[in-house]
Amino acid sequence: MRRSLALFILLSSLSAFCQSDASQQPPAGKPIPNHTVPKPPNAGQKSNEQPSTTFKVSVKLVNVYTTVVDQHGAPVGNLTKDDFNLTEDGNAEKIAVFQKESELPLSIVIAIDASGSTKKDLKLEMDSAKRFAKDILRPQDRLSVYSFSETVEEIVPFTADLRRIDRGISEITAGSATALYDTIYLASKALMKHDGRKVMVLITDGGDTFSTTSYEQAARAATQSETLLYSIIVVPVAQSAGRDTGGEHALIQISQDTGGKHYYATDMGSLDVAFKQVSDELRTQYLIGYYPSRRLASSDFRRIDVQLAPTVPNANLLQVRHRVGYYTSPLE
């Protein structure tokens, strides 16, 4: 009897255990859930705290090629870093780089007006341009020749080969209309690809009759490419009533804003003199570089002003030329 009772109790316990274990199993046909590690508080939710951000500011060196001439127009080449004061948007800047530029390479564009209005002077322009190329070009320099009338054409790509330059200039033929602003814009964009000093010498009567580029676009391209624009304005008679003085004034303004200069020429002799003065200036320039320290103006144009220190002898008799500023946004 006792054995039967003990056996009954054992069987009852086993039955209860099996029922209890069965109650922990998932229903038939459903997978067994994996073991899950408890999530930390707010897991899977976006934190209200923003991650800290590091802003990197790229401060680019601004180069200002500067020419100083005396009251006779002769270049002054004996100045030092301490002889210059520089501001951007009226704020004084520290000069970080100062070099005399007589030996650094030049990238030069000679652009010759071949429109109908200059047809009778075209050979004079071409001959004078050849002499200028021969005088200015050194082995480290590169020169390109453009011809413009109703179209703009790069006659000679950048090269130091004088024979190739000479042949290219000789091949220029007269056209009809004048795409002056197109020439400034396209040549400036070509110069933008080059480093160092960049120069454009325009030989023209100053008129524009065919450009699709505006004056503002041409002026911005010249400024943004850091090109020194020298305009040699060919006029048959200094007081001619038929001259396009509006075009002349536009050229004069762009030349001034880029740190270059304008000249008037009436014959071969004055053309050669103008080219000689350009050559002399390019051999006696200063590079003034600085890292802008402030950005207060909302405009993307930053105005630069370079002046001589009061300690420079006869500073009031000297003229300082440089580009008037630069743009922070890219050229379109």
Side-chain angles (χ1 to χ4, degrees):
M1 184 67 179
R2 291 178 178 177
R3 290 180 179 178
S4 298
L5 180 60
L7 182 59
F8 175 79
I9 293 172
L10 178 62
L11 292 174
S12 297
S13 298
L14 289 172
S15 176
F17 176 80
C18 290
Q19 290 177 5
S20 175
D21 183 67
S23 69
Q24 301 299 321
Q25 301 298 319
K30 291 188 178 182
I32 299 175
N34 293 325
H35 179 67
T36 303
V37 177
K39 295 181 179 180
N42 299 324
Q45 300 180 7
K46 292 184 177 180
S47 172
N48 291 329
E49 296 182 5
Q50 297 296 326
S52 60
T53 303
T54 301
F55 292 96
K56 295 183 179 180
V57 180
S58 176
V59 182
K60 183 180 178 181
L61 179 71
V62 177
N63 292 322
V64 187
Y65 294 97
T66 305
T67 301
V68 182
V69 297
D70 63 19
Q71 63 269 40
H72 305 294
V76 177
N78 61 347
L79 300 175
T80 67
K81 175 182 175 181
D82 295 333
D83 291 328
F84 293 92
N85 294 325
L86 185 147
T87 62
E88 179 182 298
D89 289 339
N91 302 305
E93 299 289 353
K94 181 180 178 180
I95 296 175
V97 175
F98 183 84
Q99 297 177 12
K100 294 183 180 181
E101 291 297 283
S102 59
E103 298 301 326
L104 291 186
L106 288 164
S107 297
I108 307 168
V109 167
I110 297 178
I112 299 176
D113 186 345
S115 61
S117 59
T118 64
K119 185 175 181 179
K120 63 183 180 59
D121 298 313
L122 183 56
K123 187 177 186 308
L124 299 180
E125 297 174 7
M126 292 161 57
D127 290 343
S128 194
K130 290 177 185 179
R131 285 193 290 272
F132 171 71
K134 184 177 180 180
D135 180 61
I136 191 66
L137 204 61
R138 302 163 301 176
Q140 67 266 36
D141 301 328
R142 295 295 180 269
L143 188 146
S144 176
V145 179
Y146 279 64
S147 169
F148 63 97
S149 52
E150 64 273 19
T151 59
V152 181
E153 184 177 359
E154 185 184 45
I155 301 296
V156 182
F158 286 96
T159 181
D161 187 340
L162 278 171
R163 288 181 297 180
R164 187 177 183 186
I165 293 168
D166 194 85
R167 287 197 305 270
I169 294 175
S170 297
E171 293 170 0
I172 295 175
T173 56
S176 54
T178 313
L180 177 62
Y181 297 150
D182 286 349
T183 304
I184 296 174
Y185 182 85
L186 294 171
S188 295
K189 291 196 72 174
L191 284 165
M192 196 175 291
K193 302 174 184 178
H194 294 254
D195 296 324
R197 292 187 295 165
K198 290 166 278 191
V199 178
M200 188 188 313
V201 181
L202 273 171
I203 314 170
T204 179
D205 62 359
D208 188 304
T209 62
F210 209 75
S211 286
T212 59
T213 303
S214 67
Y215 164 80
E216 290 77 14
Q217 290 172 316
R220 174 162 183 158
T223 299
Q224 202 148 348
S225 63
E226 303 181 17
T227 295
L228 294 165
L229 176 62
Y230 290 89
S231 302
I232 302 178
I233 303 171
V234 181
V235 292
V237 180
Q239 301 299 325
S240 173
R243 282 164 46 188
D244 182 359
T245 55
E248 290 179 23
H249 293 158
L251 269 180
I252 291 169
Q253 189 64 55
I254 298 178
S255 300
Q256 177 181 320
D257 289 348
T258 60
K261 190 177 179 180
H262 76 281
Y263 303 88
Y264 283 108
T266 58
D267 53 28
M268 176 66 77
S270 53
L271 266 174
D272 287 342
V273 169
F275 274 121
K276 180 66 167 58
Q277 291 183 1
V278 173
S279 179
D280 290 344
E281 283 198 6
L282 295 177
R283 299 186 191 283
T284 316
Q285 287 182 321
Y286 302 94
L287 168 60
I288 300 175
Y290 71 99
Y291 294 97
S293 59
R294 305 180 72 180
R295 282 288 184 271
L296 298 179
S298 58
S299 170
D300 72 336
F301 181 76
R302 307 291 187 247
R303 182 164 293 278
I304 300 170
D305 186 29
V306 179
Q307 296 185 0
L308 295 176
T311 54
V312 176
N314 300 317
N316 61 317
L317 299 178
L318 304 180
Q319 180 187 13
V320 181
R321 295 204 315 269
H322 57 86
R323 60 177 172 141
V324 295
Y326 68 97
Y327 291 89
T328 58
S329 60
L331 180 68
E332 296 180 358

